[in-house]
């Protein structure tokens, strides 16, 4: 009798998704999901060469039908033991509309759908961002971001096209929304005996941050890193260490929290103020 594999679902096969797949995918069926079929195929092929068992699913996380399809295909293998959500878009490339649709709505849909796809004892991590921890939002907006049903999120007047025009602000709102919805989801995920937490990375060396660092905000970001307690850019290994902790047995009493993994950037900015 062969023991059934653990099921590990990872959305996004960018810098963080690949690193998470390598660390968490040994002895598991890895279900990888991304919008970009070429990139997904390349990553899956590399991982298979390295001995991993991989299922590929092309999805758009902002499309409810697509998210349901991912959950169904994962459940076809078995209840999900580990769920890691890294898919997303960045404010240096994406429009306000795309950031809200993918980073805010997409994450909300995944949290809703995977609440019933998890195995008892399973655990998930949503990658938010320190952008969601940098500035306080209006408490009313925070309540709406936390509790509005996913299907109605994009019609919130706070997020209307004429009201919200800065992609950086849209990203901060989306990522704060992720942190708040993870807290809410701890309750629904708990009903099946699963946990869900967020990780908010600071500046991590991936293609996404390379674009930011070479853009108009690059110099300010470098100064911010130099002034931080860690004094360096983060690596995907820094993030995956936190993902491993939050999806592993050491954290069985932790759910609904956000773990800031930023080398102390938020602390040093708050202290400077
Ligand atoms: N890199 C950083 O410095 C940093 C810092 C803070 C937070 N983050 C967050 O971490 C997460 C992962 O970052 P990364 O550096 O690995 O990013 P990345 O750009 O390397 O990878 C993101 C992946 O998401 C996929 N994707 C985009 N839209 C999608 C959609 N609609 N449906 C499915 N897949 C989609 C892309 O194709 C890409 O493969 C993101 O949510 C990002 O906002 C990154």
């Amino acid at each position: 009798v062969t023991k059934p594999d653990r099921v590990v679902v990872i959305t996004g096969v960018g810098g963080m998704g690949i690193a998470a797949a390598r660390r968490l995918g040994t002895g598991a069926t890895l279900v990888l999901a991304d919008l970009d079929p070429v990139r997904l195929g390349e990553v899956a092929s590399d991982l298979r060469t390295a001995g991993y068992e991989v299922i590929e699913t092309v999805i758009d996380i902002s499309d409810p039908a697509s998210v349901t399809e991912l959950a169904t295909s994962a459940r076809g293998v078995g209840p999900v033991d580990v769920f890691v959500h890294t898919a997303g878009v960045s404010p240096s490339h994406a429009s306000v509309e795309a950031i809200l649709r993918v980073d805010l709505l997409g994450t909300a849909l995944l949290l809703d759908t995977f609440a019933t796809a998890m195995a008892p004892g399973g655990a998930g991590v949503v990658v938010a961002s320190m952008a969601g921890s940098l500035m306080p939002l209006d408490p009313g907006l925070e309540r709406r971001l936390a509790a509005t049903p996913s299907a109605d999120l994009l019609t919130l007047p706070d997020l209307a096209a004429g009201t919200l025009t800065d992609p950086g602000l849209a990203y901060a709102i989306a990522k704060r929304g992720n942190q708040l919805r993870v807290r809410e989801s701890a309750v629904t995920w708990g009903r099946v005996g699963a946990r869900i937490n967020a990780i908010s990375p600071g500046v991590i060396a991936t293609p996404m941050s390379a674009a930011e660092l070479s853009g108009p905000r690059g110099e300010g970001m470098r100064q911010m890193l130099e002034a931080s307690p860690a004094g360096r850019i983060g690596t995907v290994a820094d993030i995956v260490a936190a993902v491993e902790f939050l999806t592993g047995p050491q954290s069985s009493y932790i759910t609904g929290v956000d773990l800031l993994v930023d080398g102390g950037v938020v602390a040093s900015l708050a202290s400077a103020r």
Side-chain angles (χ1 to χ4, degrees):
V1 182
T2 51
K3 202 163 158 258
D5 274 355
R6 288 183 316 123
V7 179
V8 175
V9 176
I10 298 183
T11 72
V13 292
M16 290 186 204
I18 296 172
R22 286 188 176 274
R23 180 74 76 96
L24 304 175
T26 304
T29 297
L30 264 175
V31 181
L32 299 183
D34 199 285
L35 182 65
D36 179 343
V38 176
R39 189 176 168 73
L40 181 62
E42 285 167 1
V43 170
S45 159
D46 285 352
L47 285 166
R48 284 190 193 106
T49 305
Y52 293 84
E53 182 79 39
V54 184
I55 293 174
E56 299 161 49
T57 317
V58 177
I59 65 158
D60 177 353
I61 61 163
S62 67
D63 171 15
S66 192
V67 169
T68 303
E69 216 172 283
L70 171 65
T72 308
S73 111
R75 290 258 5 184
V77 186
V80 178
D81 298 288
V82 173
F83 168 82
V84 183
H85 168 43
T86 78
V89 294
S90 96
S92 62
H93 285 120
S95 63
V96 168
E97 184 275 331
I99 290 166
L100 295 176
R101 191 168 42 76
V102 177
D103 291 346
L104 181 64
L105 173 63
T107 302
L109 292 171
L110 286 163
L111 283 168
D112 293 349
T113 306
F114 276 84
T116 52
M118 300 300 294
V125 165
V126 163
V127 178
S129 169
M130 84 172 167
S133 311
L134 280 173
M135 64 179 164
L137 296 179
D138 171 73
L141 174 56
E142 293 216 336
R143 269 196 304 280
R144 290 188 286 283
L145 287 173
T148 302
S150 299
D152 302 329
L153 259 179
L154 295 189
T155 59
L156 284 175
D158 317 77
L159 310 179
T163 313
L164 186 55
T165 54
D166 171 16
L169 180 58
Y171 184 75
I173 291 174
K175 293 300 185 173
R176 181 71 187 132
N178 292 167
Q179 297 168 351
L180 293 165
R181 293 182 88 84
V182 161
R183 194 172 68 193
E184 290 284 315
S185 301
V187 178
T188 45
W189 284 52
R191 288 188 194 125
V192 300
R195 299 180 296 111
I196 179 70
N197 291 291
I199 288 175
S200 284
V203 185
I204 308 301
T206 68
M208 189 182 269
S209 67
E212 303 269 349
L213 283 162
S214 59
R217 286 194 292 267
E219 190 45 42
M221 283 170 72
R222 267 184 288 276
Q223 284 170 10
M224 184 178 81
L225 288 173
E226 272 161 32
S228 71
R232 65 167 172 88
I233 195 165
T235 66
V236 290
D238 291 319
I239 299 308
V240 171
V243 172
E244 193 171 34
F245 168 65
L246 286 175
T247 57
Q250 304 279 13
S251 62
S252 62
Y253 203 53
I254 303 177
T255 190
V257 307
D258 175 59
L259 181 59
L260 186 59
V261 185
D262 73 335
V265 166
V266 169
S268 82
L269 291 174
S271 155
R273 276 199 296 271

